[in-house]
Amino acid sequence: MKKLSLFIISILMVGLLAACGTATEEGNETTGSEGESKKVLKMATSADYPPFEYIDTAKGSDIIGFDIDLVNALAEKTGYEVEVQDMDFNSLIPALQAKQVDLVLAGMTPTPERAENVDFTDIYYTANHMIVSLKDNEVKSVEELDGKTIGVQLGSIQEEKAAEIAEQVSLKVENRNKISELIQELKSGRIDAAIIEDTVAAGYFEKDNQLAGFTLESSEEAGSAIAFQKGSEYTEEFNKALNEMKENGELDELIIKWFGGKE
């Protein structure tokens, strides 16, 4: 009787798991309530970059933002599920190279150096560099950075921009892992200014009236693209879906939602 009872319990457990839908043993697929299986792709981001990706602690612990909405829309079109994880920006490309994740959305610019190690889709958004400082000690030109300390996010394209500016004026460059850390360093007086993408800086300006900034006039637009492992089978799929969103207006809808219509 005991063996029979255990057998019946096992049958019931198998049926329960099948009804609820579970991940496969490899963790690459999920089964929904209707029995359809979707491959799960692991996506990495750096959730300190509003409005691209961030955590609104007043509303919960989920990562939200433009990139999150974008990847969810693309996953729906390509038939995948996406599992998002947060890490420091300078760890994103190494995570792709080590095949720990399948893709990265983090407002990342496809520079030639990065393209040597990962594959990119077409550009999905463009922005400009901005010099951010405190209103009480406002920096209004590149020339005024002479002799000052400027902060940039580690591993970002702004790090490269700071190196360019250092060829024009004498300055010290400080690296930090997160944009929020740059703002804290700025307000504590440990740095005099920071280079931040204009769209991201605008979000901080709305919340903090102590901040000021100007756009670098000579800077070229820095576009954001989705990064994949080198030779990834997913790059072409997602790029096709991205271009479909551009053509049918879905991407514009997301831009209006998160950036107020800025293109």
Side-chain angles (χ1 to χ4, degrees):
M1 286 294 292
K2 187 178 289 186
K3 290 183 178 179
L4 181 60
S5 297
L6 289 172
F7 177 73
I8 293 172
I9 290 171
S10 298
I11 294 296
L12 290 173
M13 288 297 292
V14 170
L16 179 61
L17 289 172
C20 294
T22 60
T24 63
E25 187 174 339
E26 292 82 5
N28 291 329
E29 294 183 358
T30 57
T31 304
S33 58
E34 298 179 358
E36 60 181 39
S37 295
K38 289 188 176 183
K39 187 169 184 178
V40 178
L41 301 183
K42 294 181 180 180
M43 170 188 146
T45 191
S46 182
D48 66 327
Y49 211 53
F52 287 93
E53 44 271 322
Y54 65 105
I55 298 172
D56 188 341
T57 53
K59 296 180 180 179
S61 58
D62 292 338
I63 302 174
I64 60 174
F66 174 68
D67 281 346
I68 306 304
D69 280 2
L70 176 59
V71 77
N72 286 334
L74 292 171
E76 180 69 25
K77 290 181 179 298
T78 51
Y80 297 107
E81 293 284 349
V82 175
E83 180 184 284
V84 181
Q85 55 185 287
D86 185 24
M87 60 179 65
D88 289 339
F89 189 85
N90 62 309
S91 299
L92 296 175
I93 286 183
L96 278 174
Q97 290 179 282
K99 298 186 177 180
Q100 296 171 348
V101 297
D102 299 296
L103 69 157
V104 163
L105 263 86
M108 181 176 285
T109 300
T111 64
E113 293 77 16
R114 289 171 177 163
E116 290 179 2
N117 299 305
V118 299
D119 288 340
F120 285 101
T121 63
D122 293 339
I123 298 293
Y124 63 82
Y125 189 78
T126 56
N128 292 290
H129 299 301
M130 176 170 277
I131 302 294
V132 178
S133 58
L134 295 178
K135 286 183 178 177
D136 291 343
N137 191 25
E138 187 173 356
V139 175
K140 298 182 179 181
S141 68
V142 170
E143 290 71 27
E144 290 183 17
L145 287 170
D146 190 41
K148 291 183 167 54
T149 300
I150 193 167
V152 292
Q153 186 178 36
L154 185 63
S156 69
I157 191 172
Q158 285 76 34
E159 195 172 30
E160 298 174 15
K161 194 62 188 177
E164 289 181 24
I165 295 174
E167 295 177 0
Q168 304 174 47
V169 297
S170 176
L171 56 79
K172 181 182 179 181
V173 179
E174 292 279 347
N175 300 319
R176 297 293 182 271
N177 285 321
K178 299 182 181 295
I179 299 296
S180 56
E181 292 176 12
L182 293 177
I183 300 299
Q184 290 172 2
E185 297 289 79
L186 188 60
K187 298 182 76 170
S188 67
R190 284 188 282 269
I191 62 175
D192 301 296
I195 308 179
I196 302 174
E197 190 171 293
D198 58 352
T199 304
V200 176
Y204 282 97
F205 292 158
E206 290 179 4
K207 298 177 182 178
D208 195 332
N209 58 15
Q210 297 182 56
L211 301 174
F214 71 92
T215 301
L216 291 173
E217 296 180 1
S218 60
S219 67
E220 295 181 358
E221 287 188 331
S224 298
I226 308 169
F228 290 89
Q229 296 172 15
K230 202 69 178 172
S232 172
E233 63 185 286
Y234 308 121
T235 310
E236 186 176 347
E237 287 183 74
F238 274 72
N239 200 50
K240 181 179 178 181
L242 175 62
N243 285 313
E244 180 184 321
M245 290 185 68
K246 290 179 180 179
E247 292 171 5
N248 65 19
E250 290 179 272
L251 186 59
D252 286 337
E253 289 177 8
L254 289 183
I255 289 173
I256 291 170
K257 174 183 176 181
W258 290 102
F259 305 107
K262 182 181 182 300
E263 296 184 0

